[in-house]
Amino acid sequence: MFASKRLSKELQKLQGTLPPGISLISAENFEEWLMDIKVMDDNPLYRNEVYRLRFRFGSSYPIEAPEVTFVQDPSHPIPMHPHVYSNGIICLDLLDTSGWSPVQNVESVCVSLQSMLTGNSKNERPPGNDAFVRTNRQRPRDINFVFHDNKV
Amino acid sequence: MKVTILEWHAVAAWRWDAPADDVCGICSQPYDSTCPKCKYPGDDCSIVEGECTHTFHMHCIATWMQHDPKSQCPMCRQDFKFKGENVAQEPQGEEGRDVGEGAAV
Ligand SMILES: [Zn+2]
Ligand SMILES: [Zn+2]
Ligand SMILES: [Zn+2]
């Protein structure tokens, strides 16, 4: 009930004007929404591509972070980024339990991911991507990410 | 004697001391309305201000602080401390509100 009241407010707003490059694709219930994001500058890594994000909300959203992943389909690739695994799982402190704040929302998460891509110039996956993608059966929220940026 | 009522003013309206269009950052409901857990606005669902000046529904910030082991303000990530006497303490019985600022040590 916490989640549905808050999400219906967010939905009203998302159906109005959104920042450039961000669009609402579907929000049929208060469990799962799809959003598209597009990088607005001319970063050659992401030029002419649209990326699809799936948001999954628990009943205590926004006290708990939503689960946010990139989803792949014929017209939506998984963006190349050192924090994005090739299965769409995103390693971003904002979405981790320790970095999440309940004043964040779907729109602000989209904006953060958009700028995370905009600022990237590395055509790379996270270290250990292949092994992670092959073996991971956990939901993103259950994974204890080691934030690569903190490593030496 | 007969009294004709010429005009009638509702004086029972009240609002929290916060801009009317302001919403709680946690639940997105206006401060004039309740948090998602409550039905009736008023003392049972008050708003609180932190020392950092950010305000929330008391129930919303309490839910967050239970969840967040660091008990930081969701807005600015400073430790959230209730400001002044507008605190989430249990009412101390009669006239507990008359104590001046700084009485609670
Ligand atoms: Zn609230
Ligand atoms: Zn309440
Ligand atoms: Zn604050």
Side-chain angles (χ1 to χ4, degrees), chain B residues 7-58:
Chain B
E7 215 177 341
W8 190 79
H9 296 279
V11 289
W14 60 272
R15 49 183 57 246
W16 294 111
D17 192 14
D21 57 338
D22 252 16
V23 298
C24 167
I26 298 176
C27 67
S28 289
Q29 305 295 319
Y31 289 127
D32 280 0
S33 147
T34 63
C35 80
K37 293 183 173 177
C38 293
K39 268 207 178 112
Y40 304 105
D43 285 339
D44 289 342
C45 190
S46 52
I47 61 169
V48 289
E49 185 176 8
E51 279 177 5
C52 58
T53 74
H54 293 121
T55 50
F56 305 95
H57 289 115
M58 196 241 283

Side-chain angles (χ1 to χ4, degrees), chain A residues 3-15 18 23-36 52-57 61 66-71 105-107 110:
Chain A
S4 55
K5 279 216 176 177
R6 157 80 183 246
L7 285 168
S8 51
K9 288 265 169 177
E10 286 196 42
L11 191 54
Q12 272 173 29
K13 222 182 144 239
L14 291 176
Q15 284 163 341
L18 284 174
S23 40
L24 171 69
I25 301 304
S26 84
E28 299 193 339
N29 51 44
F30 294 134
E31 277 146 39
E32 188 175 305
W33 293 3
L34 295 176
M35 302 289 297
D36 274 1
R52 180 149 294 179
L53 288 164
R54 182 173 56 211
F55 283 73
R56 282 187 174 142
F57 310 101
Y61 173 82
E67 187 180 296
V68 187
T69 49
F70 284 104
V71 286
N105 54 47
V106 172
E107 182 183 322
C110 289

Side-chain angles (χ1 to χ4, degrees), chain A residues 47-84:
Chain A
R47 196 184 290 152
N48 301 324
E49 297 287 4
V50 177
Y51 302 104
R52 180 149 294 179
L53 288 164
R54 182 173 56 211
F55 283 73
R56 282 187 174 142
F57 310 101
S59 60
S60 56
Y61 173 82
I63 298 298
E64 273 179 7
E67 187 180 296
V68 187
T69 49
F70 284 104
V71 286
Q72 186 165 29
D73 65 27
S75 47
H76 300 93
I78 304 286
M80 203 60 154
H81 189 284
H83 289 177
V84 181

